[in-house]
Every structure is written in structure tokens, then in C-alpha cells.
Amino acid sequence: MSNTSFSRALPAALLGLALTAAARADTKDYEFQLVKDEARQGEAILDVRLVDKRTSKPVPNAVIFAKRIDMAPDSMEEMTSKIEQLPSPEPGVYRFKAKLTMAGGWRLSLGAKVQGETGTVENRLVFKATK
């Protein structure tokens, strides 16, 4: 390869590499957000939006594989409750049903796989249960 051919090929190769790297997302580019930061004590429905932080758009079809709800914000991490995933009300919104046995601070911990991405999106969301 001549010097001239090499000097033309190098910038094109670097541009291709940069575009490929920029197209890949990282699990840190996604986050769960509570639709409401309060819920009623008792049987509660919790809606959570999964968002691509780069575009602010909702991310549909993620696979939620880990979910836990506890009262860690009120220093009662051992106080847990059952949580069940329900059908999604809209693309990018994930719905859960939980029994909030006490008023106070609750933490919803979620783990998910986003289609086409490697790694796990994990968030801990804090909300308040009211009487």
C-alpha cells in the first residue's frame, strides 16, 4: 500500500470505528423513573418508565428479571413485600402490584435486560406510601 493510499484509508477507518463506538449504548444510558413518587398504603399499583437518557425516549420490551420492594429508606430493609409484574399500560412503562403494609418510605429495586444491549440496567427507586 502506498503512503497516499494509507493516508486516505486511515481517516476512513477511524471514522468508521468512531461511528460504531458511538452507536453502542451502555447500560448506564438507561434508567428507571417512577411515574408517581407516592402511592397509597395497601394494595398499590406502581408504574415505572424505562428511559434512554440520551434521547429521553421510553424503552419498550425490556425483560424485567429482578424486582424487590422494601422499606430501606426508613431503615427497615428487612421489611419487604410481595411484588408482581402486571401487563404494561403503554410501551416503555412497566407496571407492578405490591402490598405496601405500612406508610412511609419504600424502595423499589429493579434489574432488566434491554434488547440489543449487553449488561444489566439496575435502579433503586424511592417513593412514599401514604395512608
Side-chain angles (χ1 to χ4, degrees), residues 47-48 59-61 85-96:
D47 286 337
V48 179
V59 179
N61 304 318
Q85 188 168 352
L86 300 174
S88 175
E90 63 184 82
V93 175
Y94 301 86
R95 178 168 279 178
F96 303 93

Coordinates of all heavy atoms in Angstrom, one line a residue, residues 47-48 59-61 85-96:
D47 N -46.2 2.4 38.6 CA -45.8 2.4 37.2 C -44.4 3.0 37.2 O -44.1 4.1 37.8 CB -46.7 3.3 36.4 CG -48.1 2.6 36.1 OD1 -48.1 1.4 36.1 OD2 -49.1 3.3 35.9
V48 N -43.5 2.4 36.4 CA -42.2 2.8 36.2 C -41.8 2.9 34.7 O -42.2 2.0 34.0 CB -41.2 1.8 36.9 CG1 -39.8 2.2 36.8 CG2 -41.6 1.6 38.4
V59 N -38.2 3.1 26.7 CA -37.6 1.9 26.1 C -38.6 0.7 26.3 O -38.8 0.3 27.5 CB -36.3 1.6 26.8 CG1 -35.7 0.3 26.2 CG2 -35.3 2.7 26.6
P60 N -39.3 0.3 25.2 CA -40.2 -0.9 25.4 C -39.5 -2.2 25.4 O -38.3 -2.3 25.0 CB -41.1 -0.7 24.2 CG -40.2 -0.1 23.1 CD -39.3 0.8 23.9
N61 N -40.2 -3.2 25.7 CA -39.8 -4.6 25.6 C -38.5 -5.0 26.4 O -37.9 -6.0 26.0 CB -39.6 -5.0 24.1 CG -40.8 -4.7 23.3 OD1 -41.9 -5.0 23.8 ND2 -40.7 -4.1 22.1
Q85 N -45.3 -8.3 38.7 CA -45.4 -7.5 37.5 C -46.7 -7.8 36.8 O -47.2 -8.9 36.7 CB -44.2 -7.9 36.6 CG -44.1 -7.0 35.4 CD -42.8 -7.1 34.6 OE1 -41.9 -7.8 35.0 NE2 -42.7 -6.4 33.5
L86 N -47.3 -6.7 36.3 CA -48.5 -6.7 35.6 C -48.3 -6.3 34.1 O -47.2 -5.8 33.8 CB -49.5 -5.7 36.2 CG -49.9 -5.9 37.6 CD1 -50.7 -4.8 38.2 CD2 -50.6 -7.2 37.8
P87 N -49.3 -6.5 33.2 CA -49.1 -6.1 31.8 C -48.8 -4.6 31.7 O -49.3 -3.8 32.5 CB -50.4 -6.5 31.2 CG -51.0 -7.6 32.0 CD -50.5 -7.2 33.4
S88 N -48.0 -4.2 30.8 CA -47.7 -2.8 30.6 C -48.8 -2.0 30.0 O -49.5 -2.4 29.1 CB -46.5 -2.8 29.6 OG -46.2 -1.4 29.3
P89 N -49.1 -0.8 30.6 CA -50.2 0.0 30.2 C -49.8 0.8 28.9 O -50.7 1.2 28.1 CB -50.4 1.0 31.3 CG -49.1 1.1 32.0 CD -48.4 -0.3 31.8
E90 N -48.5 0.9 28.6 CA -48.1 1.6 27.4 C -46.6 1.2 27.1 O -45.9 0.8 28.1 CB -48.2 3.1 27.4 CG -47.4 3.7 28.5 CD -47.7 5.2 28.7 OE1 -48.7 5.6 29.3 OE2 -46.9 6.0 28.1
P91 N -46.1 1.3 25.9 CA -44.7 1.0 25.6 C -43.7 1.8 26.5 O -43.9 3.0 26.6 CB -44.5 1.3 24.1 CG -45.9 1.3 23.6 CD -46.8 1.7 24.7
G92 N -42.8 1.1 27.1 CA -41.8 1.7 27.9 C -42.2 2.0 29.4 O -41.4 2.4 30.2
V93 N -43.4 1.6 29.7 CA -43.9 1.7 31.1 C -44.1 0.3 31.6 O -44.8 -0.5 31.0 CB -45.2 2.6 31.2 CG1 -45.7 2.6 32.6 CG2 -44.9 4.0 30.8
Y94 N -43.6 0.1 32.8 CA -43.7 -1.3 33.4 C -44.5 -1.1 34.7 O -44.2 -0.2 35.5 CB -42.2 -1.8 33.7 CG -41.5 -1.9 32.3 CD1 -40.8 -0.8 31.8 CD2 -41.6 -3.0 31.6 CE1 -40.2 -0.8 30.6 CE2 -40.9 -3.1 30.4 CZ -40.2 -2.0 29.9 OH -39.6 -2.1 28.6
R95 N -45.5 -2.0 34.9 CA -46.4 -1.9 36.0 C -46.2 -3.0 36.9 O -46.0 -4.1 36.5 CB -47.8 -1.8 35.4 CG -48.9 -1.8 36.5 CD -50.3 -1.5 35.9 NE -50.3 0.0 35.6 CZ -51.3 0.6 35.1 NH1 -52.4 -0.1 34.6 NH2 -51.3 1.9 34.9
F96 N -46.3 -2.6 38.2 CA -46.2 -3.6 39.3 C -47.3 -3.4 40.3 O -47.7 -2.3 40.5 CB -44.8 -3.4 40.0 CG -43.7 -3.5 39.0 CD1 -43.1 -2.4 38.5 CD2 -43.1 -4.8 38.7 CE1 -42.1 -2.5 37.6 CE2 -42.0 -4.9 37.8 CZ -41.5 -3.7 37.2

